[in-house]
Amino acid sequence: MRKTLLAAAAAAAVLGAFGASSADAKTFKWAFQGDAQSLDPYSLSETFTLSLQGNIYEGLIRMDPDLQIEPSLAESWEIVEPTRWRFKLRQGVKFHNGNDFNADDVLFSAERVRKDGSDLKGRLAGVVDVVKVDDYTVDFVTEVPVPTLVNEWGTWYIMDKEWSEANGAEDPTDVTAGKENFSTRNANGTGPFMIQSRETDVKTVLVPYEGWWDAANKEHNLTEVIFTPIGSDSTRVAALLSGEIDMMYPVPVQDMNRLENDPNTEVLGGPELRTIFLGMDQERDELLHSSVKGKNPFKDVRVREAFYRAIDVELIQKKVMRGLSTPSALMISPLLFKYSDEFKRLEPDAKLAKELLAEAGYPDGFEITLDCPNNRYVNDEAICQAVVAMLARIGVKVNLLAQPKAQYFAKILAPKRDTSFYLLGWTPSSFDSWNVMFNIIGTPDLESGRGKFNNGGYSNARFDELTDLVLSETDQDKRNEYIREAYQILHDERGYIPLHQQALAWGKRSNISLVQRADNQFMLNYVKVD
């Protein structure tokens, strides 16, 4: 039976009360459509990669099953001055190798996450200094007041300074550049699970960390976890039905009824906070992958609007997503912004789209390449195929380049940004608009991390100004007005083509209880094998 997020959490709590004892625990086997790209927690800001790492590493704070902030490696914190946050660190915590956790590890992690190559620089946006007060007290000093500072830290994990330095892992690895070090394939966190073995793209084995500081809140009864990436939808479904694996995601929409009708399997469904969208290169003077030479058609707002109006997202919802998506007018889930109802998608209109192309000087359209992952989002390649067909109706010939996410991310992300037109998805780690504004839409600046995932180079000075105001504004009404103005600018300029928020769809065996979070992060601590 399909369950909502809250129902899944409630079911996990009930089953937990009657779960098997630790003596009855079994190996838990699960699969995803691709592998984590690295074990280095600063190498790639991608939900699945960070999710797997989040069972091994921990941050100063963490998100509970209902996405509420709670203490983790920091016991408490306070704002001692408008621009100074003080964190009291948890004592007695040990890393998996036995090293003690203390303030030096926090300072090291703060420095490392902001180094070149890190994909998570934005986690400490606005922070100008990190000060060690004593071994278990750290101050974060910001340039201006940052009321949502800790909201960004759910996936900023703390690394062991001694271990990193001893193994030549002082610097973050860079997935897009193919840069690796010891932290790429090895990990040493403080979390509830530790790596036993790892074969990239083949199998990763985790075991419980018996020295976990939060043993009082241990919810699982697992003795071994085996993760296997399975790219083929049909193979993944067959493995679940046969009992070869105990859980998998995402469930292909076409197979949901099949799993729900099997007495031994269930589908957990719920809303996800991820927005799927199309981006266009608006920065280069000539597109890298287009038949148009000497200029960039995407610099013309009429071309961007033509592409937007050519795409019928309601048809994608019905035919491709089988109803399991919510068409979006914004680059953020409507659940996360107060005034989202004020924004409406442009109506699909192929006739108007052709007229706009003609006015822009492309009466016969042009040719362009669309970069797309084929193992990252729900029905990602099928969505791109639909986009190709829809743009063909207005005379635009789209060459689809669909690749596994490892190759895809390495191609389209900074610093390469080797793309002219691409599909991407984003879940704001803080569940707040600033995260989207800074990371996805802001003018790219590799030094600060602004626009790190703005692969098309969209830029608007007022938008950037509003982003900075949103970061520091403490009056929520004013803050919402700034966000509203920023989204209106983006909408008017057709800076992106938002498509939809995809739905969560996890499949599991009936003897498995777990918790499904709306950010699609999978927490092994809440898994029980009955």
Side-chain angles (χ1 to χ4, degrees), residues 199-434:
E199 299 173 74
T200 305
D201 295 324
V202 179
K203 183 173 71 172
T204 299
V205 179
L206 301 96
V207 293
Y209 174 40
E210 298 303 329
W212 187 36
W213 64 269
D214 201 19
N217 289 314
K218 175 184 171 182
E219 298 286 342
H220 73 85
N221 65 351
L222 309 179
T223 54
E224 182 184 46
V225 176
I226 300 176
F227 164 68
T228 306
I230 302 177
S232 166
D233 286 346
S234 59
T235 304
R236 205 163 57 247
V237 170
L240 183 64
L241 287 168
S242 69
E244 182 181 344
I245 58 175
D246 301 304
M247 180 268 190
M248 54 82 88
Y249 70 108
V251 176
V253 292
Q254 64 271 17
D255 290 309
M256 286 187 175
N257 289 336
R258 184 181 175 197
L259 292 179
E260 289 179 331
N261 292 331
D262 187 287
N264 298 311
T265 59
E266 300 175 2
V267 174
L268 298 182
E272 187 180 1
L273 302 178
R274 182 184 311 281
T275 300
I276 304 296
F277 58 89
L278 294 167
M280 302 158 281
D281 180 357
Q282 300 158 60
E283 184 176 22
R284 293 182 175 92
D285 292 329
E286 179 180 308
L287 294 177
L288 295 177
H289 308 288
S290 166
S291 61
V292 179
K293 302 304 176 185
K295 59 180 177 178
N296 180 348
F298 284 138
K299 285 182 177 287
D300 192 320
V301 67
R302 293 171 295 186
V303 174
R304 300 197 297 271
E305 181 170 337
F307 272 55
Y308 194 134
R309 290 192 179 276
I311 296 168
D312 187 341
V313 75
E314 302 283 349
L315 189 60
I316 290 175
Q317 179 197 40
K318 181 179 179 181
K319 298 294 187 181
V320 179
M321 301 301 292
R322 310 271 180 110
L324 295 174
S325 65
T326 304
S328 179
L330 289 174
M331 296 287 285
I332 192 170
S333 166
L335 300 175
L336 300 178
F337 178 49
K338 179 179 180 179
Y339 299 123
S340 60
D341 289 345
E342 297 180 6
F343 293 84
K344 306 297 180 185
R345 287 187 56 82
L346 298 180
E347 291 293 328
D349 190 329
K351 181 175 181 295
L352 178 55
K354 287 182 179 180
E355 292 172 358
L356 288 166
L357 281 181
E359 290 175 12
Y362 307 97
D364 300 318
F366 54 89
E367 189 173 339
I368 193 166
T369 297
L370 170 60
D371 288 295
C372 183
N374 60 16
N375 66 345
R376 178 59 192 94
Y377 311 114
V378 177
N379 285 359
D380 41 19
E381 185 172 4
I383 293 169
C384 290
Q385 289 169 344
V387 169
V388 170
M390 291 170 180
L391 287 170
R393 295 185 301 188
I394 67 169
V396 176
K397 180 182 179 183
V398 179
N399 300 309
L400 177 59
L401 178 57
Q403 301 183 91
K405 64 178 183 176
Q407 293 93 317
Y408 169 76
F409 285 134
K411 181 178 188 292
I412 74 156
L413 295 181
K416 289 182 180 179
R417 292 199 173 110
D418 179 14
T419 185
S420 298
F421 186 36
Y422 61 94
L423 179 135
L424 196 63
W426 188 260
T427 303
S429 58
S430 60
F431 317 118
D432 178 74
S433 286
W434 179 85

Side-chain angles (χ1 to χ4, degrees), residues 40-45 109 111-123 156 171-175 179 446 449 452-453:
D40 184 335
Y42 309 156
S43 64
L44 184 65
S45 185
S109 298
E111 178 184 5
R112 190 180 190 273
V113 79
R114 292 182 289 180
K115 285 185 175 182
D116 289 343
S118 169
D119 216 29
L120 281 78
K121 286 184 178 182
R123 297 296 191 271
W156 174 44
D171 296 329
T173 59
D174 189 341
V175 167
K179 177 184 175 183
L446 293 182
K452 179 72 167 64
F453 302 90

